[in-house]
C-alpha cells in the first residue's frame, strides 16, 4: 500500500510514499519514471519498483511530475522533480540519506537532480540511472526518442544553448556524488552509448554496469538488473559506490 501526497497544487504534482512493513534501511529511495518526459507515461511505471523496495525494507517515494504537453517542459518538469525531493523534508521520513533511481528520461532527471540542482533543501547522496538519457545534445542530434529532447527543452542545442547547459547531465561533470549507470547494450530505445559517454566524462565518481536484456528489463523487479541496483542501494545511501 502507498500514500498519495501532494508536493504542489497541480494534478501531477504528487508522490506515492511506500513504507516498509519492517524497516531495514535508513533513508529514502526516490523512483523517477521514464517515458521521454511525455504526458502519456506516468508514475504507474515506477510502482512495481517502489513496491519491491518497500518489500525489502526501504522507504520509497514514487514521484509524478508535469510532463511535456501537460504543463511540463522546461523548466516546469525539473522544478517539479526538485520540489518533490525537497518535500521529503516535510514528511515523517528519514530525509538525511536520499538516493534517486530513474529510468530512461527519469534517469536524466535523477542525475540532473543529483548534480545540477542548486540550493537543494534535500540533497541526494547518490543517483542511479537505468538506461538514462544523459547526453541531451547528442540525443537531440541523433533522434533519441525522435524529438523528445527538443520537446522538453523547447528546441535543439543551437536554438536554446543555455537550456542544454543547465539541463544536460554530461555538462555537469565530475559529479559531486556517486552515479551508478545500469544499461543494456541491446537497448534500442536509449543507446548504450549514452551511459558510456557520461561515465567517460564523469570520471571516478561514476560507474557503468552493462546488464543483459533491453530498455525495459531494467525496471522489471524480477530481473537481475534490478536486483543489482537494489543490492547497491545500502552503499549508495551512504554516499558510496558498491564495491
Amino acid at each position: 500500500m502507498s500514500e498519495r501526497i501532494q508536493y504542489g497544487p497541480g494534478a501531477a504534482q504528487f508522490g506515492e510514499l511506500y513504507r516498509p512493513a519492517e524497516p531495514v534501511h535508513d533513508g529514502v529511495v526516490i523512483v523517477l519514471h521514464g517515458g521521454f518526459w511525455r504526458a502519456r507515461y506516468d508514475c504507474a511505471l515506477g510502482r512495481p519498483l517502489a513496491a519491491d523496495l518497500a518489500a525489502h525494507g526501504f522507504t520509497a517515494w514514487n514521484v509524478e511530475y508535469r510532463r511535456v504537453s501537460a504543463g511540463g517542459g522546461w523548466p516546469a518538469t525539473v522544478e517539479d522533480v526538485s520540489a518533490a525531493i525537497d518535500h521529503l523534508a516535510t514528511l515523517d521520513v528519514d530525509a538525511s540519506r536520499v538516493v534517486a533511481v530513474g529510468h530512461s528520461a527519469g534517469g536524466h532527471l535523477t542525475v540532473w537532480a543529483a548534480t545540477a540542482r542548486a540550493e537543494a533543501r534535500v540533497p541526494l547522496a547518490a543517483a542511479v540511472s537505468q538506461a538514462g538519457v544523459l547526453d541531451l545534445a547528442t540525443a537531440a542530434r541523433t533522434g533519441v526518442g525522435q524529438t523528445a529532447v527538443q520537446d522538453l527543452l523547447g528546441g535543439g542545442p543551437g536554438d536554446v544553448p543555455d537550456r542544454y547547459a543547465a539541463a544536460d547531465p554530461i555538462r555537469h561533470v565530475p559529479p559531486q556524488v556517486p552515479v551508478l549507470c545500469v544499461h543494456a547494450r541491446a537497448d534500442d530505445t536509449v543507446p548504450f552509448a549514452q551511459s558510456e559517454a557520461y561515465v567517460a566524462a564523469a570520471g571516478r565518481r561514476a560507474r557503468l554496469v552493462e546488464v543483459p536484456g533491453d530498455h525495459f528489463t531494467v525496471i522489471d523487479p524480477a530481473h537481475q538488473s534490478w536486483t543489482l541496483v537494489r543490492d547497491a542501494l545500502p552503499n549508495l545511501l551512504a554516499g558510496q559506490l558498491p564495491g
Side-chain angles (χ1 to χ4, degrees), residues 19-152:
R19 296 183 186 271
E22 298 183 11
V24 176
H25 305 282
D26 295 332
V28 179
V29 180
I30 297 168
V31 178
L32 292 170
H33 72 83
F36 283 125
W37 311 277
R38 291 171 175 147
R40 64 178 179 269
Y41 303 100
D42 62 22
C43 66
L45 290 168
R47 286 173 186 155
L49 299 188
D52 182 76
L53 287 167
H56 286 84
F58 295 93
T59 299
W61 177 231
N62 184 36
V63 171
E64 189 56 280
Y65 50 85
R66 287 174 291 175
R67 283 91 69 213
V68 173
S69 79
W74 183 264
T77 295
V78 296
E79 288 176 343
D80 280 3
V81 169
S82 185
I85 296 170
D86 285 345
H87 194 70
L88 289 171
T90 72
L91 304 180
D92 181 23
V93 298
D94 176 11
S96 67
R97 297 183 180 187
V98 180
V99 169
V101 177
H103 173 239
S104 194
H108 158 256
L109 296 170
T110 292
V111 178
W112 173 87
T115 61
R117 190 166 53 114
E119 299 180 359
R121 183 178 182 185
V122 177
L124 297 182
V128 179
S129 169
Q130 302 168 293
V133 187
L134 303 180
D135 182 351
L136 296 184
T138 297
R141 286 193 293 267
T142 58
V144 175
Q146 298 177 324
T147 61
V149 178
Q150 294 92 323
D151 294 341
L152 173 70

